[in-house]
Amino acid sequence: MAEEKFLLEMTGITKEFPGVKALKGVELRVKPGEVHGLLGENGAGKSTMMNCLMGIYQPTSGKIVFDGVERKNYTPKESLEFGISMIQQELSPMQDRSIMANIWLGREPVNKFGLVNWKKMYEDTKRVLEIIDLDEDPKTLMRHLTVAKMQMVEIARAVSYDSRLIIMDEPSSAITEKETQQLFKIIRQLKAEGRSIIYISHKLDEIKEITDRVSVYRDGSYVSSANTDEITQDQIIEMMVGRSVENLFPKVKVPIGDVVLEVKDLCHETLFRNVSFTVRKGEIFGLNGLVGAGRTELMETIFGLRPRKSGTVLFKGKEFNPKCGKDSIDAGMAFITEDRRGNGIFPIQDIEFNSTIANIDTYKGAGRLLNLKKMQKDCAEYIEKIAIKTPSQAQLIKNLSGGNQQKVLVARWLMTAPDIIIMDEPTRGIDVGAKSEIHRLIGELVKEGKSVIMISSELPEVMGMSDRIMVMHEGDMMGIIENDETVTPEMLMELASGIVREEQ
Amino acid sequence: MQEKKKNNTLSIFLGKYGIIVMLLALVLVMTILIPGFLSLRNIQGIFLQGSIYGIMALGVTFIIISGGIDLSAGSLVALAAVVSTSFGQLDTAMNKIFPWCPQLPIWVPFVVALAFGGFLGAVNGLMISRLKLVPWIATLGSYYIARGLALVITAGKPVAQLIPAYNTIGGKIGILPVPVLFFAICMAISWILLNYSKFGCDTFAIGGNMSAARVTGINISKTTILIYTFAGIMYGVAAFVYAGRVLSVNPGAAQNYEMSAISASIIGGTSPMGGKGTIWGVLVGTLILSVIRQGLTLLAVDAYWQQIAEGAIIVIAVIFAMRREKAEL
């Protein structure tokens, strides 16, 4: 067999962020004219790898060869120019500009007076839109397009750059089944023109349908590559999750008590349907699923941050209909959100402020003024109790490590004396050592008789910590399983991918 | 289905031309209430009144489209006006700032106004792009500094006894007031720059999606400096025309004009969030403001109440703009 020719060869790619090694010697090889599936759990390093390829990040080390030439230290603009385009998962076009202004952004054609030649741009756009079969006037504002069409415009942009490699990051996550088929049609056409496509998706059926080869990443490392038709979905799943669960510490055995929270047939307008489950005292209830499964949205609805369409929630035996987060907090529920920076910490405030803020009402003393002494005392108590590593409680929270920030947030919610604590991805972006401390903390919470609902994408975490695990897939409840020795990562992955549904 | 489509067309039409409807409605009401509102003299007055902050609003519009704001516009106009008119005084006059200066032709203060205005704008742009100050902080600083400088270099006294050519700048050619001519020329230049230059496209890109702009290789820092420089040049023109109208420039001049310019731009449909705006919108926004001002003055409405009316119009215009954006989605 002749030596295989690759359009793209990335080898030994390492990327370090302060405190985190996001990529550890990862590789990727893409042949000309192939659709290459990129797979891995959340946080496996797919996006970081693609950002390195686009020149948005500079890899710490490693080699990138594109089209036979080694490329080093290039900018996103240069990568566009030598033929790599990326269609982001979250499209953010210039909404109030036309299709053509978006496509030719940064390289508008000009006439001999140096003025933008809109007529040429219009004609060129028409031609590009024809290639990808998009019947829209180039002057239409992006605001008036559906997400699927915006995506098509992005593809048109890639074609207009004459890109030989087009990266599509979860392109089907926000479009309908029918639109996905249309997308596949275009992908096949681009492929026939000799272009290569890197297709990132969690949906294994799509991967099977559209890709020629797949590469699998796990925890920032390269696992392996294979031809799609020589591999089964089960094998792909095994490659994605195939790690030992042994390095997790054993779960603390805690007696399980009465039902604290009961959810019956809860529906949201669009995001999830007919979800029912119960959580008991002293239980850690794991909630697993892929991005877009509706896990966070489900919890936000129970917590009163989103309106529910139908269904009932019983909390401590009483009907529970919170209008806002405050109602839930007062009733004894706590919610530690996933996006620590976005809606968790107040970065430029100190630990004391950050730990007491959810509970500030209780510190109102004489004349409605705050009892600062008591706040200091309580804060100090929690720093001690959950071992927050900090020189003092006056330290600004932004100066703490991710793990310690998370602990401050746990302290914040513990001060509200909750009966049930919802934790959304409690250990995301936290290094290994701090992870186990957070896990130990969760163990202690249930020992005190609290209940924990833990949303997590990380299978070892879910399997190592939970008493029971509920798996969701695109808004559907796939099943609730008792977490015993018979549970395997493959089982959970199959449920999360929507391949099989646990019989109820 | 047909019905819905029609509705949609109507809403798109209103979205696009709603402010013109608003302007026409205002003119209609004023014409009914005030006899002779549409007389030549009054129409001249309306355009004349709007020309100064209209010219400023052109520069401000570039800034707002790029996602910025300029609170210093009025102060920069005042500073550019006192500095430039110092080159346009009669030689019999005690020249306040440049005593060694002989009497100069009118083009000198014109060039000085534009160059100095552009320089002041560039300083704003540098503070924002190089020192990474948010636009409203940077321009809040220059709002005070420029006003203070104008007061310091004039010792608080007006620059007067300007050369006779200034009378022409504030006068009329036929029925056309010269300041309005300046406004028209500035509009034409701005229109070409915004719609037919790379600079205009980059301005939309920075305000519409800064990260996309960066990825496509647009030099954000350079473009930002250019945007504020262009705005400064517009303030320079405004300063020059202003001097022609008042013929004696007080260092406290053009107070609050930045607010009129921002209002005209926003009423004209420039998105306060950036990424959207038009030059004809600035014209219509400017006219809406001056029709209200002129009309309410003629109706002898108390000046205090005029302010309330203006504020209400701005808020209503933005509410409409937001409504139609929602309708378009």
Side-chain angles (χ1 to χ4, degrees):
Chain A
M1 201 171 111
E3 196 177 317
E4 281 195 287
K5 234 181 105 68
F6 291 104
L7 175 68
L8 172 76
E9 280 185 277
M10 295 173 82
T11 43
I13 303 290
T14 303
K15 177 67 191 174
E16 284 172 34
F17 293 108
V20 188
K21 209 165 178 184
L23 295 175
K24 303 159 206 159
V26 179
E27 59 186 77
L28 175 65
R29 289 188 176 81
V30 181
K31 293 179 199 166
E34 81 169 357
V35 180
H36 194 105
L38 202 50
L39 288 146
E41 290 180 277
N42 306 327
K46 295 165 296 185
S47 299
T48 314
M49 187 74 168
M50 290 305 104
N51 282 326
C52 285
L53 175 56
M54 276 307 291
I56 293 166
Y57 296 157
Q58 300 301 335
T60 313
S61 66
K63 193 170 151 189
I64 301 175
V65 177
F66 181 75
D67 201 19
V69 184
E70 184 173 354
R71 317 273 175 169
K72 272 187 198 155
N73 294 328
Y74 52 87
T75 64
K77 183 186 161 80
E78 284 162 338
S79 64
L80 283 167
E81 281 161 0
F82 61 65
I84 307 176
S85 287
M86 179 156 171
I87 290 145
Q88 302 280 356
Q89 184 181 8
E90 303 272 338
L91 299 174
S92 55
M94 299 186 291
Q95 294 279 9
D96 293 304
R97 297 284 272 167
S98 61
I99 290 176
M100 54 181 179
N102 272 278
I103 288 183
W104 302 97
L105 174 65
R107 56 197 172 117
E108 296 83 0
V110 291
N111 62 19
K112 56 178 183 283
F113 303 111
L115 297 179
V116 174
N117 190 340
W118 288 105
K119 217 175 136 198
K120 180 173 181 334
M121 204 195 279
Y122 185 86
E123 296 303 325
D124 290 351
T125 309
K126 263 198 122 135
R127 218 170 15 251
V128 181
L129 293 186
E130 240 163 59
I131 294 174
I132 62 151
D133 219 2
L134 180 62
D135 183 26
E136 284 288 339
D137 186 70
K139 286 181 185 161
T140 310
L141 294 188
M142 291 301 271
R143 186 177 288 290
H144 298 298
L145 300 181
T146 61
V147 175
K149 284 190 173 167
M150 283 185 197
Q151 212 167 53
M152 287 297 158
V153 171
E154 287 288 310
I155 295 174
R157 200 159 90 94
V159 171
S160 76
Y161 269 104
D162 200 19
S163 300
R164 258 137 352 113
L165 178 64
I166 302 172
I167 306 161
M168 299 186 184
D169 190 359
E170 305 227 18
S172 63
S173 62
I175 63 178
T176 65
E177 190 74 23
K178 216 177 132 201
E179 289 165 335
T180 305
Q181 284 310 317
Q182 175 66 20
L183 174 71
F184 284 179
K185 209 182 120 202
I186 302 296
I187 289 178
R188 290 192 186 100
Q189 187 189 326
L190 295 171
K191 187 176 137 181
E193 289 168 14
R195 301 179 207 273
S196 306
I197 286 157
I198 295 177
Y199 192 92
I200 302 175
S201 178
H202 282 303
K203 300 179 185 166
L204 292 182
D205 46 346
E206 286 181 6
I207 293 284
K208 281 300 270 182
E209 182 178 348
I210 194 71
T211 66
D212 302 307
R213 267 178 358 118
V214 291
S215 289
V216 180
Y217 295 169
R218 188 198 314 141
D219 291 337
S221 302
Y222 172 76
V223 179
S224 70
S225 299
N227 289 332
T228 310
D229 49 13
E230 290 165 8
I231 191 169
T232 63
Q233 286 195 354
D234 287 346
Q235 284 170 313
I236 294 177
I237 289 172
E238 209 181 302
M239 280 155 69
M240 283 164 71
V241 298
R243 61 187 143 187
S244 53
V245 189
E246 72 212 348
N247 54 1
L248 285 168
F249 32 88
K251 180 180 154 32
V252 203
K253 278 281 166 217
V254 172
I256 305 288
D258 299 332
V259 169
V260 179
L261 179 75
E262 186 169 6
V263 176
K264 278 189 230 158
D265 280 324
L266 195 64
C267 293
H268 181 270
E269 199 67 52
T270 51
L271 296 166
F272 56 83
R273 298 155 286 281
N274 301 321
V275 177
S276 305
F277 65 92
T278 57
V279 179
R280 289 164 294 178
K281 192 173 154 86
E283 184 176 43
I284 299 177
F285 186 78
L287 183 45
N288 182 245
L290 298 168
V291 168
R295 299 166 301 172
T296 301
E297 293 78 3
L298 170 65
M299 285 306 142
E300 285 174 350
T301 308
I302 292 171
F303 199 68
L305 302 178
R306 288 174 187 268
R308 59 175 92 143
K309 188 178 155 206
S310 61
T312 51
V313 178
L314 296 173
F315 184 40
K316 291 188 275 190
K318 276 182 290 196
E319 185 120 0
F320 184 57
N321 295 308
K323 302 258 174 329
C324 59
K326 181 91 170 59
D327 290 354
S328 304
I329 296 169
D330 292 345
M333 216 183 248
F335 191 177
I336 303 177
T337 55
E338 172 184 9
D339 186 1
R340 201 165 49 238
R341 268 173 249 279
N343 47 29
I345 64 171
F346 296 90
I348 55 168
Q349 301 290 346
D350 59 20
I351 295 177
E352 197 179 304
F353 179 94
N354 271 288
S355 58
T356 53
I357 187 68
N359 203 30
I360 204 84
D361 279 347
T362 60
Y363 295 105
K364 279 182 190 154
R368 317 275 299 156
L369 295 177
L370 294 175
N371 184 345
L372 298 181
K373 275 233 176 73
K374 187 163 185 297
M375 286 166 73
Q376 277 164 14
K377 195 177 132 268
D378 286 2
C379 178
E381 189 187 314
Y382 274 93
I383 288 177
E384 170 90 34
K385 186 176 167 192
I386 61 181
I388 299 170
K389 280 187 214 102
T390 172
S392 88
Q393 60 201 73
Q395 176 74 276
L396 302 189
I397 195 166
K398 68 171 181 179
N399 296 334
L400 300 184
S401 69
N404 279 302
Q405 288 180 354
Q406 189 71 316
K407 285 187 191 168
V408 174
L409 291 183
V410 173
R412 177 193 292 175
W413 291 105
L414 288 183
M415 285 189 195
T416 66
D419 299 299
I420 189 162
I421 303 163
I422 305 165
M423 293 184 168
D424 195 352
E425 303 282 2
T427 61
R428 168 158 296 174
I430 290 176
D431 60 65
V432 182
K435 256 184 192 177
S436 61
E437 281 191 53
I438 298 285
H439 290 153
R440 186 183 55 81
L441 185 55
I442 294 174
E444 266 164 34
L445 293 178
V446 287
K447 229 191 268 174
E448 288 172 19
K450 301 183 189 305
S451 309
V452 172
I453 299 177
M454 183 180 73
I455 304 179
S456 176
S457 303
E458 294 184 34
L459 292 176
E461 179 170 280
V462 175
M463 293 174 57
M465 297 295 300
S466 313
D467 294 295
R468 286 181 305 146
I469 304 169
M470 177 163 96
V471 185
M472 290 178 73
H473 170 74
E474 293 185 6
D476 291 315
M477 197 177 121
M478 301 304 288
I480 298 176
I481 44 184
E482 286 289 335
N483 188 21
D484 51 31
E485 293 74 43
T486 61
V487 176
T488 63
E490 286 76 13
M491 259 168 78
L492 292 176
M493 201 55 166
E494 279 173 356
L495 288 172
S497 310
I499 299 172
V500 287
R501 183 189 283 245
E502 186 82 356
E503 289 309 320
Q504 308 261 318
Chain B
M1 192 71 211
Q2 197 62 34
E3 189 68 17
K4 202 180 166 198
K5 177 127 194 176
K6 217 172 172 182
N7 241 333
N8 207 5
T9 331
L10 181 72
S11 84
I12 287 177
F13 174 83
L14 276 181
K16 234 173 163 173
Y17 304 108
I19 45 169
I20 292 187
V21 175
M22 189 170 169
L23 174 62
L24 292 178
L26 272 172
V27 171
L28 187 71
V29 171
M30 294 299 181
T31 314
I32 292 167
L33 292 177
I34 306 161
F37 188 77
L38 288 180
S39 68
L40 177 64
R41 211 180 113 82
N42 199 44
I43 292 174
Q44 282 173 340
I46 288 167
F47 276 90
L48 192 57
Q49 187 179 52
S51 54
I52 307 273
Y53 57 77
I55 294 171
M56 293 166 67
L58 293 169
V60 167
T61 298
F62 275 74
I63 291 175
I64 299 179
I65 290 175
S66 78
I69 189 75
D70 190 351
L71 302 177
S72 68
S75 301
L76 298 198
V77 167
L79 182 55
V82 296
V83 169
S84 63
T85 46
S86 301
F87 291 93
Q89 285 182 302
L90 296 169
D91 52 6
T92 53
M94 173 62 190
N95 200 311
K96 281 207 174 65
I97 303 171
F98 305 102
W100 38 267
C101 209
Q103 185 170 321
L104 297 164
I106 187 73
W107 62 264
V108 176
F110 178 66
V111 170
V112 168
L114 266 60
F116 191 61
F119 165 75
L120 294 173
V123 172
N124 275 342
L126 280 166
M127 282 199 283
I128 291 158
S129 65
R130 298 273 189 251
L131 302 181
K132 308 283 173 217
L133 291 173
V134 290
W136 71 268
I137 292 289
T139 60
L140 182 64
S142 38
Y143 166 86
Y144 284 109
I145 294 169
R147 183 66 70 187
L149 280 174
L151 287 160
V152 167
I153 59 182
T154 58
K157 296 192 189 82
V159 182
Q161 291 186 294
L162 305 183
I163 53 177
Y166 266 110
N167 289 318
T168 319
I169 305 302
K172 289 195 190 84
I173 302 173
I175 60 162
L176 181 68
V178 177
V180 179
L181 180 67
F182 273 95
F183 183 27
I185 294 169
C186 288
M187 265 199 317
I189 294 170
S190 302
W191 184 75
I192 291 171
L193 275 179
L194 190 62
N195 297 303
Y196 289 93
S197 76
K198 267 209 60 78
F199 168 63
C201 289
D202 292 355
T203 304
F204 278 111
I206 291 176
N209 183 349
M210 189 168 314
S211 56
R214 191 171 289 126
V215 169
T216 42
I218 290 169
N219 187 335
I220 290 171
S221 154
K222 186 181 129 200
T223 309
T224 302
I225 296 169
L226 280 177
I227 289 165
Y228 283 84
T229 307
F230 172 74
I233 294 172
M234 286 296 124
Y235 306 156
V237 177
F240 181 69
V241 175
Y242 181 85
R245 284 206 60 197
V246 298
L247 298 175
S248 159
V249 180
N250 195 304
Q255 199 92 255
N256 287 339
Y257 273 40
E258 63 280 343
M259 292 304 165
S260 301
I262 294 169
S263 309
S265 184
I266 299 290
I267 293 172
T270 310
S271 166
M273 313 306 291
K276 184 179 182 184
T278 58
I279 297 301
W280 67 262
V282 176
L283 173 63
V284 178
T286 303
L287 288 178
I288 287 177
L289 268 191
S290 32
V291 164
I292 295 169
R293 286 180 183 173
Q294 187 95 341
L296 296 183
T297 308
L298 289 173
L299 285 169
V301 173
D302 186 278
Y304 303 154
W305 279 101
Q306 284 195 26
Q307 291 204 22
I308 295 171
E310 268 178 43
I313 291 282
I314 295 168
V315 174
I316 290 168
V318 173
I319 290 172
F320 271 126
M322 278 160 42
R323 281 272 165 82
R324 79 181 178 241
E325 244 165 53
K326 248 191 195 153
E328 281 172 15
L329 276 177

